[in-house]
Amino acid sequence: MFDEWIQTNLSKDWLVLHDLLLEYNYTVFQIDLLIISPEVIYLFEVKNYEGDFYFNGERWYPISKAEIKNPIHQLSRNESLFRRLLQDL
């Protein structure tokens, strides 16, 4: 659904790249969706979770109590690695 929304709502001048697997400084990272506009680059971490969740600090839990990795942390890590990769290039 997110991909469909992106396809119909973005300018045709923007470049959309899906599921990038990149390496920087011997660290592999994956970006679900990268959008490059003439002015800005956007990174997206897309999840398909369902059900009810609760938060304890920065930790996410479904009602079943099994912790889920916080996608905001993953996105921050990806942004940092991607920024360093671009700076080096």
Side-chain angles (χ1 to χ4, degrees):
M1 289 185 337
F2 186 74
D3 287 344
E4 287 178 23
W5 183 86
I6 291 294
Q7 296 278 344
T8 59
N9 290 292
L10 289 184
S11 168
K12 302 299 180 207
D13 296 336
W14 293 20
L15 178 63
V16 178
L17 302 171
H18 298 269
D19 198 24
L20 297 174
L21 188 60
L22 303 169
E23 182 180 344
Y24 176 75
N25 201 25
Y26 306 104
T27 301
V28 175
F29 61 105
Q30 186 265 339
I31 297 174
D32 288 341
L33 186 69
L34 183 76
I35 298 175
I36 302 172
S37 78
E39 297 86 24
V40 180
I41 298 174
Y42 298 96
L43 283 78
F44 290 90
E45 181 63 33
V46 181
K47 299 296 184 199
N48 187 18
Y49 296 146
E50 28 177 75
D52 294 321
F53 296 85
Y54 68 94
F55 302 92
N56 185 0
E58 292 191 13
R59 297 178 184 257
W60 294 33
Y61 297 91
I63 297 303
S64 68
K65 305 276 187 197
E67 181 182 355
I68 294 174
K69 290 183 181 180
N70 187 332
I72 295 170
H73 292 166
Q74 184 178 0
L75 184 59
S76 294
R77 177 181 176 271
N78 288 349
E79 178 185 358
S80 175
L81 289 166
F82 188 67
R83 184 181 308 271
R84 288 188 266 165
L85 175 65
L86 289 179
Q87 287 172 343
D88 281 357
L89 294 175

